[in-house]
Amino acid sequence: MFELAGVTLPCMTTWEIRREGELGRTEHAELATMLRAAYPDFPAAFSGELTWYGSRPEARVIGKDGDRVIAHAGVLRRFVRITEDTEGGAPMEVLVGNVGLVAVHPDFQGRGIGRELGTRVTALLDELAVPFGLLMCGEPSLGYYEALGWSRLPEVHVRYLDFEQRDPYRVIDEQCATTMVLPVRVPLRAWPMVDRLDWAGSQV
């Protein structure tokens, strides 16, 4: 149950995993409506039927209350290039599940839906058979991901393309203290000691 404008209403969340090619224009429009509400600082980012900001996901976790989309996360398998923090370390390619567009509609936040969303993202990563989940987030989101089993990496030098809708040709090369990794099919100790991380594209 949740309260909206003083009225207590039922919240019966149903969940589904959808591959990108399965979604039609109407479904993308419904997802875009939720993403606009969840990301008010980017008012033009999810206009019309547009449901990605950087790299397009390959699969999505979608939560609904009735027919209304109230939660969402996108996942994309990719290889990132990592240089280990050792003298003369050679770059290596590591398969990850890049997670992004994680959101719960503002009307439904604080009800445990975000926690359930995170649990289902972990299950999807396992289904996709990736060794690790990987993402970059803002400082306010660190506690959320840590509660779901993600680990914050030591500050690492990252290189990635800017988001597709902002400037897809701009290369960002910077230090990042909010890179998160999730052990999925292997233990966390298998993650290399990273000095540099090249996303080989934009993030989800």
Short mmCIF file of all heavy atoms in Angstrom, two decimals, residues 6 8 11 17 43 112-113 169:
data_model
loop_
_atom_site.label_atom_id
_atom_site.label_comp_id
_atom_site.label_asym_id
_atom_site.label_seq_id
_atom_site.Cartn_x
_atom_site.Cartn_y
_atom_site.Cartn_z
N GLY A 6 -2.98 11.89 0.27
CA GLY A 6 -3.82 11.56 1.41
C GLY A 6 -4.68 10.34 1.23
O GLY A 6 -5.45 9.98 2.13
N THR A 8 -4.88 6.21 0.51
CA THR A 8 -4.11 4.98 0.50
C THR A 8 -4.55 4.11 -0.66
O THR A 8 -5.74 3.80 -0.80
CB THR A 8 -4.28 4.20 1.82
OG1 THR A 8 -3.85 5.03 2.90
CG2 THR A 8 -3.46 2.92 1.80
N CYS A 11 -0.55 -1.19 -4.09
CA CYS A 11 0.57 -1.22 -5.02
C CYS A 11 0.94 -2.67 -5.25
O CYS A 11 1.55 -3.30 -4.39
CB CYS A 11 1.76 -0.44 -4.47
SG CYS A 11 3.21 -0.48 -5.55
N ILE A 17 10.99 -9.31 -17.71
CA ILE A 17 12.25 -9.08 -18.41
C ILE A 17 11.91 -9.00 -19.90
O ILE A 17 11.29 -9.90 -20.45
CB ILE A 17 13.25 -10.23 -18.18
CG1 ILE A 17 13.50 -10.43 -16.69
CG2 ILE A 17 14.55 -9.95 -18.93
CD1 ILE A 17 14.15 -9.28 -16.00
N PRO A 43 15.06 16.95 -18.71
CA PRO A 43 13.68 17.02 -19.22
C PRO A 43 13.54 16.65 -20.68
O PRO A 43 12.47 16.18 -21.09
CB PRO A 43 13.30 18.49 -18.98
CG PRO A 43 14.60 19.21 -18.89
CD PRO A 43 15.54 18.26 -18.25
N GLY A 112 10.21 0.02 -1.12
CA GLY A 112 10.92 -1.24 -1.30
C GLY A 112 10.99 -1.71 -2.74
O GLY A 112 11.58 -2.76 -3.02
N ILE A 113 10.42 -0.92 -3.66
CA ILE A 113 10.42 -1.33 -5.07
C ILE A 113 11.84 -1.25 -5.65
O ILE A 113 12.23 -2.10 -6.44
CB ILE A 113 9.44 -0.45 -5.87
CG1 ILE A 113 8.01 -0.70 -5.37
CG2 ILE A 113 9.54 -0.74 -7.38
CD1 ILE A 113 6.99 0.26 -5.94
N TYR A 169 30.27 12.20 -29.89
CA TYR A 169 31.66 12.22 -30.38
C TYR A 169 32.65 12.68 -29.31
O TYR A 169 33.86 12.59 -29.52
CB TYR A 169 31.76 13.14 -31.60
CG TYR A 169 30.84 12.71 -32.72
CD1 TYR A 169 29.66 13.39 -32.97
CD2 TYR A 169 31.14 11.60 -33.50
CE1 TYR A 169 28.80 12.98 -33.98
CE2 TYR A 169 30.29 11.19 -34.52
CZ TYR A 169 29.12 11.89 -34.76
OH TYR A 169 28.28 11.48 -35.75
#
